[in-house]
């Protein structure tokens, strides 16, 4: 269980959306949190991958092409 206080303007917007769509306010709050969590998870995963990649030795494209016999 989670209880949050929202500014009255946001609460009003949420109530109007719920009335117009026939869904509950809880539904929209849950959806918003899930979407935000997914974005945060993606962000932190990307940040970690960049950190790991930054520690790895880069291989020049020319070296890769030569290894596959694709040199000019």
């Amino acid at each position: 269980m989670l209880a949050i206080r929202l500014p009255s303007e946001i609460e009003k917007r949420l109530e109007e959306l719920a009335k117009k769509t026939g869904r509950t306010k809880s539904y929209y709050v849950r959806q918003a949190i899930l979407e935000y969590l997914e974005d945060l998870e993606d962000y932190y995963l990307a940040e970690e991958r960049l950190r790991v990649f930054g520690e790895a030795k880069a291989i020049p494209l020319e070296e890769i092409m030569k290894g596959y016999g694709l040199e000019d």
Side-chain angles (χ1 to χ4, degrees):
M1 177 82 177
L2 175 68
I4 61 169
R5 291 189 187 272
L6 296 172
S8 61
E9 183 177 313
I10 294 174
E11 176 77 19
K12 193 181 300 182
R13 289 173 61 193
L14 191 55
E15 285 177 12
E16 289 176 17
L17 179 62
K19 284 179 188 175
K20 287 179 183 177
T21 62
R23 298 215 182 241
T24 64
K25 292 188 296 182
S26 293
Y27 170 82
Y28 287 112
V29 171
R30 205 170 22 254
Q31 291 301 112
I33 291 171
L34 284 173
E35 185 172 330
Y36 186 71
L37 280 176
E38 288 173 1
D39 289 347
L40 276 179
E41 290 165 343
D42 288 345
Y43 172 82
Y44 287 118
L45 176 62
E47 190 175 65
E48 174 63 16
R49 297 253 170 96
L50 281 172
R51 187 188 63 73
V52 169
F53 179 75
E55 296 171 359
K57 179 184 175 238
I59 302 171
L61 178 59
E62 295 79 21
E63 188 176 322
I64 294 172
M65 290 178 67
K66 185 177 179 181
Y68 285 99
L70 300 172
E71 51 204 291
D72 286 329

